[in-house]
Amino acid sequence: MAREYKLRMHNVAYKNLFGRKFRSILLLFAIMIAVALFFGLSSLTAGMEELMMEATNDSGIKNAIDVVDSSSGMFYGTIDRSAIKTIESIPGVKYVIPRVFALVQLEDVDLVTPLSQIERTITPEMDMLMQQMIRMIGTINIGETDFSDLSNLISLVGIDPDLEYIMGGYPSKITRGSIFTTSGGAILGEMLAKNSGLDVGDKITVICDNKQRTFYISGIYSSGNPIQDNSVVVSIKDAQYLKGFGNNEVSLLRVISEENIDNSIIGMHIKTKLPGKVNIIDHSLTASVINEQFNQFKVYEYIVIAIVILASIGFILAITMRSITERTKEIGTLRAIGWQKTDVLRLIFIESLIITIIGSILGVILGILLPYIFQTIIPFFFSDLIIPPMSELVKITPLMVVESILIGCTAGVIGGMIPSIRAVRMSPVDAFKY
Amino acid sequence: MIETRNLTKIYRRGNAEVVGLKDINLKIEDGEFLSVIGPSGSGKSTLLHLLGGLDKPTYGEVLIDGENIEDLEEKELCQLRRDKIGFVFQDFNLINTLNAIENVVISRIPTGVPHEMIERGINLLSYFRMEDRLDHLPTQISGGQQQKVAIARALINMPQIVLADEPTGELDSKSGGEIIRLMREMNEIEGVTFVIVTHDLNVSDQTDRIIQIQDGEIIKDINNTPHG
């Protein structure tokens, strides 16, 4: 009784791959790196795109205009709430929502925030330059204060929860707990909660200039925008108290227009109706500028991806060409003993496919880990570099996984087969001469 | 039966033409055990390649059982090489990643290896006293054993003819003698025709017919009484 032998085409392919370990490992490595780079870049771009989309879509930002005080900006200026009625009377305006903004400190909370990290990297020259810039834009009156004093500052936003709900603002982004219903409650951005170690049920004391107030944390929200997620949100009344504002004073009016209405026209109307008092910040322009810049970034990304793919095909070709002498003679032998050209190509195709599928899957795994690996490694070399959390920057989709594997397989099969096609076309006699 | 008619092969080297074989007319009957001898470059291997359909003649034809192999389509030619012809090469040409039995049945792998084919492979290797080397890779066995695997590979499909190109060229005289003895035994047991190209007169002396080639032409075709 003959023992069982596995003698099918794919078994031969496996044996060829295992029998040429060095070549196979090199190929696997080349494909894995190429796929990991492709996947890493794609997931990073998709993550950044989503982040930007979320930032620009925040509170319907695409059809939003912010109205702020023309002389002191949103952090130090005030707008009278009576302007709401004036603005609401403009045709095409859907809602007008008041907000109060403040830069505050949290008592007894040591923040590990990007701002405190920035402080470590600020040189005296940069400090001077930034002070000049801040004075020029006139939004923050920091006098002769050293910029490092800003390192523990976070932004506080005062809102009207009911109005915010309508336009999908902070309350609709709560991930844990709930929105506060009375004065004295606060919700925290996820990044701030993480950096401060605070959570739902904890208490915080917020200091703004020489006023302070204690809040209980009723919820945590996540908008996907790192700046927003590093803020504390309280009721508009509490924010007015901390800023020393009167009942009718707010920092900003967010104007949401009807769909298909040109923001610039609404902006012009507002400026006409409130002459000399306000500045208009048109978010649709910001969004389009961001989109334009991001599209440009994507072009660079595609170029890098194309280079990665071409380089990997080249590398794979270089590896397969190295072993072509041995392979050509082997192909000649197979042809001499009765294999057809298509049989030989089928064997090489299966070999290439096996190695590229394994390489691509490993590449995708490495691609998922790559941003986190970089995040871990980079601080050892550049201790002052600020790296945002990768979980916020990276976005992985099933389509991306499929695309990466397909690209890996295509590059691997092309690189693996091209040198062999020439050998298959040769007559066996010519192949023996190798 | 294999027959050649005015078989001619001319190679081009730049503008010059080099005659590899010239007007070879030859008949090889079934079951013959013959050798082709001649100095290096005389055209021995070229004749073998043309007989096996590995190369195409410039003029003339090769007939196997009356059929001109040049009339065959690529697929038919592959089937002919697989089913009717076996090849044995000087440097064995085994696939280094496959073991002995896999190398023996390799020609059948694209279409699937029948169970009886594996049994035949094992029987052949056992006959060659290699039953304990079935799972060994070519790099794990001696040159003589590798050539035995190559002969088993050539015989696996019960071909009509085995074409051997310097089968003892890489072997010591003892191993070479054993290889020729095995070929002779298979010729007698299975009735396979053997055409052995060699420049070793000790090898040709073991065959029944010796064809001598020089400068691409047959200069002697004699019957021989084997010695030893």
Side-chain angles (χ1 to χ4, degrees), chain A residues 174-195:
Chain A
I174 287 180
T175 53
R176 294 200 301 278
S178 58
I179 186 71
F180 46 83
T181 49
T182 56
S183 180
I187 55 172
L188 255 59
E190 197 158 76
M191 200 183 287
L192 177 60
K194 197 175 156 193
N195 290 334

Side-chain angles (χ1 to χ4, degrees), chain A residues 27 47 52 64 173 209 223 239 247 252 256 288 304-305 311-312 316 363:
Chain A
L27 273 175
M52 285 187 174
K173 293 183 170 116
D209 295 334
S223 68
N247 277 346
L252 167 153
I256 310 291
S288 68
V304 172
I305 284 175
S312 62
I316 293 162

Side-chain angles (χ1 to χ4, degrees), chain A residues 3 15-16 329 335 339, chain B residues 74 91 97 102 106 135:
Chain A
R3 57 165 279 199
K15 290 196 169 218
N16 276 344
K329 198 170 180 184
R335 301 266 296 112
W339 281 42
Chain B
E74 163 73 18
D91 44 5
T97 53
E102 288 160 348
I106 184 81
D135 295 324

Side-chain angles (χ1 to χ4, degrees), chain A residues 212-272:
Chain A
Q212 65 177 61
R213 180 161 279 189
T214 302
F215 296 90
Y216 70 91
I217 300 168
S218 67
I220 306 292
Y221 67 89
S222 173
S223 68
N225 177 335
I227 296 165
Q228 288 187 1
D229 288 351
N230 205 38
S231 306
V232 55
V233 178
V234 299
S235 77
I236 209 159
K237 282 200 166 177
D238 288 331
Q240 281 170 328
Y241 166 77
L242 285 165
K243 291 270 303 195
F245 281 4
N247 277 346
N248 280 331
E249 286 178 317
V250 294
S251 309
L252 167 153
L253 296 175
R254 176 154 288 185
V255 181
I256 310 291
S257 53
E258 302 277 0
E259 294 287 332
N260 307 321
I261 296 286
D262 191 344
N263 276 357
S264 59
I265 294 171
I266 295 195
M268 269 165 52
H269 279 295
I270 296 171
K271 280 211 140 193
T272 317

Side-chain angles (χ1 to χ4, degrees), chain A residues 11 51 57 63 69 111 114 121 123 150 175 225 228 231 286 320 330 344 368 375 384 399 434:
Chain A
N11 301 115
L51 212 62
N57 282 337
N63 51 339
D69 178 77
L111 291 174
T121 65
T123 61
L150 293 173
T175 53
N225 177 335
Q228 288 187 1
S231 306
T286 318
T320 46
E330 183 184 301
V344 179
I368 293 170
Q375 197 176 32
D384 289 333
L399 181 70
Y434 272 76

Side-chain angles (χ1 to χ4, degrees), chain A residues 8-271:
Chain A
R8 300 180 70 168
M9 204 66 138
H10 64 268
N11 301 115
V12 176
Y14 280 127
K15 290 196 169 218
N16 276 344
L17 292 174
F18 276 106
R20 299 184 176 102
K21 284 190 189 74
F22 182 67
R23 174 182 169 273
S24 301
I25 289 169
L26 270 182
L27 273 175
L28 201 71
F29 191 72
I31 295 160
M32 191 175 79
I33 295 294
V35 171
L37 285 175
F38 173 79
F39 190 88
L41 270 173
S42 302
S43 60
L44 206 60
T45 313
M48 284 169 70
E49 192 171 15
E50 194 182 63
L51 212 62
M52 285 187 174
M53 290 297 283
E54 276 177 16
T56 51
N57 282 337
D58 169 57
S59 310
I61 200 165
K62 274 182 184 164
N63 51 339
I65 296 169
D66 283 345
V67 180
V68 297
D69 178 77
S70 59
S71 56
S72 305
M74 73 177 186
F75 279 101
Y76 287 88
T78 57
I79 297 264
D80 198 291
R81 281 181 88 141
S82 60
I84 292 177
K85 284 207 166 168
T86 315
I87 297 170
E88 275 178 341
S89 67
I90 297 169
V93 170
K94 213 168 168 184
Y95 317 110
V96 181
I97 293 150
R99 280 181 180 175
V100 173
F101 281 89
L103 287 171
V104 299
Q105 283 183 302
L106 301 181
E107 192 180 64
D108 296 333
V109 173
D110 188 20
L111 291 174
V112 192
T113 63
L115 265 177
S116 62
Q117 287 179 28
I118 288 171
E119 182 254 318
R120 277 190 266 131
T121 65
I122 299 287
T123 61
E125 293 77 18
M126 280 171 73
D127 185 36
M128 206 163 73
L129 186 70
M130 289 179 89
Q131 284 193 48
Q132 281 171 1
M133 282 171 65
I134 289 165
R135 278 198 212 100
M136 272 170 69
I137 56 175
T139 51
I140 306 173
N141 179 16
I142 58 172
E144 295 304 315
T145 315
D146 193 282
F147 186 78
S148 59
D149 286 355
L150 293 173
S151 62
N152 272 320
L153 291 179
I154 56 157
S155 60
L156 174 136
V157 189
I159 61 160
D160 180 330
D162 295 336
L163 289 173
E164 293 278 340
Y165 259 126
I166 297 170
M167 64 163 199
Y170 294 100
S172 56
K173 293 183 170 116
I174 287 180
T175 53
R176 294 200 301 278
S178 58
I179 186 71
F180 46 83
T181 49
T182 56
S183 180
I187 55 172
L188 255 59
E190 197 158 76
M191 200 183 287
L192 177 60
K194 197 175 156 193
N195 290 334
S196 62
L198 294 165
D199 209 341
V200 177
D202 290 340
K203 286 194 171 178
I204 45 166
T205 300
V206 175
I207 305 164
C208 180
D209 295 334
N210 41 23
K211 289 201 173 63
Q212 65 177 61
R213 180 161 279 189
T214 302
F215 296 90
Y216 70 91
I217 300 168
S218 67
I220 306 292
Y221 67 89
S222 173
S223 68
N225 177 335
I227 296 165
Q228 288 187 1
D229 288 351
N230 205 38
S231 306
V232 55
V233 178
V234 299
S235 77
I236 209 159
K237 282 200 166 177
D238 288 331
Q240 281 170 328
Y241 166 77
L242 285 165
K243 291 270 303 195
F245 281 4
N247 277 346
N248 280 331
E249 286 178 317
V250 294
S251 309
L252 167 153
L253 296 175
R254 176 154 288 185
V255 181
I256 310 291
S257 53
E258 302 277 0
E259 294 287 332
N260 307 321
I261 296 286
D262 191 344
N263 276 357
S264 59
I265 294 171
I266 295 195
M268 269 165 52
H269 279 295
I270 296 171
K271 280 211 140 193

Side-chain angles (χ1 to χ4, degrees), chain A residues 2-3 5 7 9 12 15-16 19 329-330 333-340 343 346 428-429 432, chain B residues 49 54 74-75 78 81-82 87 89 91 93 95 97 101-102 105-107 109-110 113 118 122 135 153:
Chain A
R3 57 165 279 199
Y5 283 96
L7 297 167
M9 204 66 138
V12 176
K15 290 196 169 218
N16 276 344
K329 198 170 180 184
E330 183 184 301
T333 305
L334 292 173
R335 301 266 296 112
I337 61 173
W339 281 42
Q340 294 179 42
D343 297 329
R346 188 152 60 101
V429 176
F432 291 151
Chain B
H49 293 149
L54 296 180
E74 163 73 18
K75 190 178 174 184
C78 286
R81 286 202 294 256
R82 188 191 65 191
F87 288 95
F89 304 98
D91 44 5
N93 288 17
I95 310 296
T97 53
I101 186 66
E102 288 160 348
V105 299
I106 184 81
S107 64
I109 282 177
V113 188
I118 299 171
I122 293 169
D135 295 324
R153 179 179 68 189

